[in-house]
């Protein structure tokens, strides 16, 4: 993973195991989306990861 103060971010290959995945898990979809991240920002306490092209954004927030 590389990133800088310019809001750019690149995540390399995502590797997971199937050991704890339940039927219907979205782990492979999530991993593929992470590999297309090209930018990030923090807004309103949420981490936003921008995906390549028209891929949209992944939104994360802390859970107390």
């Amino acid at each position: 993973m590389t990133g800088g103060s310019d809001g750019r971010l690149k995540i390399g290959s995502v590797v997971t195991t199937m050991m704890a995945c339940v039927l219907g898990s979205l782990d492979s979809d999530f991993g593929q989306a992470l590999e297309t991240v090209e930018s990030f920002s923090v807004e309103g306490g949420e981490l936003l990861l921008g995906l390549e092209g028209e891929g949209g954004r992944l939104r994360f927030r802390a859970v107390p």
Side-chain angles (χ1 to χ4, degrees):
M1 176 169 58
T2 59
S5 60
D6 62 353
R8 308 293 298 166
L9 179 70
K10 181 67 181 163
I11 298 175
S13 296
V14 176
V15 179
T16 62
T17 67
M18 297 298 291
M19 186 172 182
C21 296
V22 296
L23 185 61
S25 174
L26 297 176
D27 66 311
S28 61
D29 295 328
F30 185 67
Q32 289 174 351
L34 286 176
E35 290 179 4
T36 68
V37 169
E38 66 179 7
S39 64
F40 73 96
S41 62
V42 177
E43 298 174 15
E46 294 182 326
L47 171 63
L48 304 174
L49 301 180
L51 306 180
E52 294 174 345
E54 298 291 323
R57 298 190 297 186
L58 298 175
R59 180 182 305 263
F60 299 88
R61 66 174 175 243
V63 177

